[in-house]
Structure formats: structure tokens, C-alpha cells
Amino acid sequence: MFGIETWQFWGAMAITAFAGFVKGAVGFAMPMIMLSAFGSILPATTALAALILPTLLTNIQQAFRQGPQEAWGSIWRFRLHISMVVIFICVSAGFAKALPQPVMYILLGAPIVGFALWQLAGRSLVLPLHHRRRAEAVTGIVGGLYGGISGIWGPPLIVYLLSVGVEKREQVRVQGVVFLLGAVVLTAAHLTSGILNAQTLPLSLVLCVPAFAGMMAGFALQDRLDVVQFRRWTLVLLVLTGLNLVRRAFEFWI
């Protein structure tokens, strides 16, 4: 079935449903959960290919949940970050099979854990206004470089949004817009690279079903969370995500 064992297929379905639920609840982490868990049951390139279409299509729903006018407004306000993500996904996608992933995982995971723990401890990280454009560009570059290689480009954006205090609905919408545009580029890049091919494309398409089912359940939870709860759970999830990336890096070395 899709070039994998039956148990692998159903495992991927369950993982995708859970990842969709988390994405619906806090607006991110779907590809991170999928890639991390898929890595235990699927070959690395299959795992990357499998998450591409669920990520692409659920981000359409997330980005346009409040309507196209709000989505376009978010695109304009965060155009610098978006531009950097798109450009640097294209730059790095061709190296997905060549660069040492352990180094990439630990360089992304460790700063995420540090930032999230700092925030959970009650410390504030608010960027001075004259530094925000620079931070927006840098986080876009970092996200794009990691995105083309691993399919994960969300954490730098979330760190930026939390640090400048973006409102909850705006944060989720901006995440959806940036993730959507990055997903379009990632899809095109890996159709070219060969990672998304005649064998992996059908698997990725089928996984959209549990992704949407989980996401709808997650939306119901998101609407009930107040701003403080939403921020806390976002930070907790960032800690877990970062620790998992560090764990994966050490798995390669042990």
C-alpha cells in the first residue's frame, strides 16, 4: 500500500489526525509532529513527502478562516518575513538529501527551547520597534532555510510573533498565511527534487483526510481558549517541539 506496510499506513493516519488536532488548537506544529513521528516508522524522504499535501491544504483552511480580506491584510503586514521564507525554501530545498540533518535539528531545537522556557518563566522578550523589521527578516531567512530541508519553517515565525505580542486570532491567521505560502513553495520544490513522486504523492493526498478531521476538532478547542491559555499552550508546545528536535539530533549521533 503506497510502497509501505499496512501498519505503517495506519500509523501515519493516526499521527496525522493528532497533528491536525494540535494545528487546529494552536495554529501550528502539524509538520513538526508528523515529521518527528513519521521518522520512527517511515523512511526519511517518504516522511517528508507524506506531510506536504496535508500541510498545504490545511493551511488554506487556517489562512482563510476569517475570510480573504483578513488573510490579504496579514500577507501585507508580514510581507518581509513571507518573502524571506519563500526565497530561502527555494534556496535550501535542493540540499534536502545532502546536508547533515542532526546539525540542523539541534541548531533549530535548542534556541526554541531556550526562548519558550524563558517566556514560561515570566520573562518578557519584547523587541524594540526599530529592531522588528530586522528580526522579521532574520526569522524568515532561518525559517526558509530549515523549511526546504526538513519541511519545518514555523518555529522562527512563532518566536517572532510571540516576542512582538501579536493578538491571538491574528497570530493564528499569520501562521496560516506564512505556512500556506511556504507549503506552496515546498510542494513545487519537492516535485522538482523528486521527493514528491508517483509513489509518495498518493500517500500524501490520502493523509489529508485525517488531517482535516483532526483540524476541525482542534478549531473547536481553539475558540474556547483565552489569550493567556493560548499563549501558555503555544509555549509548552514549543518546548516539546524543540526538545524533540534535539532528541532527533542525538539519535543520529548515538
Side-chain angles (χ1 to χ4, degrees):
M1 182 182 294
F2 305 109
I4 58 177
E5 300 290 334
T6 301
W7 70 269
Q8 292 173 308
F9 171 75
W10 289 111
M13 292 282 282
I15 291 164
T16 304
F18 174 71
F21 173 76
V22 173
K23 180 175 178 61
V26 296
F28 75 103
M30 183 181 212
M32 291 181 283
I33 292 171
M34 291 173 73
L35 189 64
S36 298
F38 284 177
S40 301
I41 64 173
L42 297 172
T45 54
T46 302
L48 176 56
L51 67 81
I52 290 176
L53 290 184
T55 301
L56 174 66
L57 297 180
T58 55
N59 280 324
I60 294 174
Q61 173 67 19
Q62 181 176 330
F64 290 93
R65 193 181 182 204
Q66 283 91 38
Q69 184 173 354
E70 294 292 336
W72 284 114
S74 294
I75 289 173
W76 178 252
R77 285 187 291 276
F78 293 88
R79 60 192 180 279
L80 178 58
H81 182 97
I82 291 168
S83 299
M84 295 300 100
V85 168
V86 169
I87 291 168
F88 283 92
I89 282 179
C90 293
V91 169
S92 63
F95 298 98
K97 297 179 180 179
L99 289 183
Q101 290 197 359
V103 175
M104 299 297 286
Y105 284 140
I106 201 165
L107 288 177
L108 181 59
I112 289 169
V113 172
F115 169 83
L117 289 176
W118 180 271
Q119 294 277 296
L120 285 169
R123 307 295 181 88
S124 177
L125 177 58
V126 179
L127 297 174
L129 187 61
H130 58 282
H131 289 161
R132 289 191 181 185
R133 295 292 285 174
R134 187 184 308 163
E136 186 178 349
V138 170
T139 53
I141 291 168
V142 173
L145 288 173
Y146 281 98
I149 293 166
S150 66
I152 298 170
W153 61 90
L157 169 66
I158 297 158
V159 168
Y160 173 72
L161 294 176
L162 288 173
S163 69
V164 298
V166 175
E167 182 267 334
K168 183 183 86 167
R169 291 211 315 169
E170 172 81 348
Q171 178 175 329
V172 173
R173 184 170 59 252
V174 172
Q175 289 168 192
V177 167
V178 174
F179 297 166
L180 171 59
L181 294 174
V184 169
V185 176
L186 186 70
T187 302
H190 285 310
L191 282 169
T192 303
S193 74
I195 285 178
L196 200 60
N197 53 47
Q199 188 174 64
T200 58
L201 187 62
L203 173 63
S204 190
L205 185 61
V206 168
L207 291 178
C208 292
V209 176
F212 273 106
M215 191 177 190
M216 292 302 105
F219 277 157
L221 177 60
Q222 181 199 130
D223 292 340
R224 293 186 179 93
L225 293 174
D226 62 30
V227 174
V228 174
Q229 290 174 319
F230 175 79
R231 184 179 178 86
R232 182 184 302 118
W233 282 112
T234 299
L235 289 168
V236 168
L237 193 55
L238 274 178
V239 171
L240 296 175
T241 297
L243 288 174
N244 189 57
L245 289 169
V246 173
R247 176 193 64 81
R248 293 197 64 200
F250 280 105
E251 279 184 350
F252 282 93
W253 288 324
I254 295 174

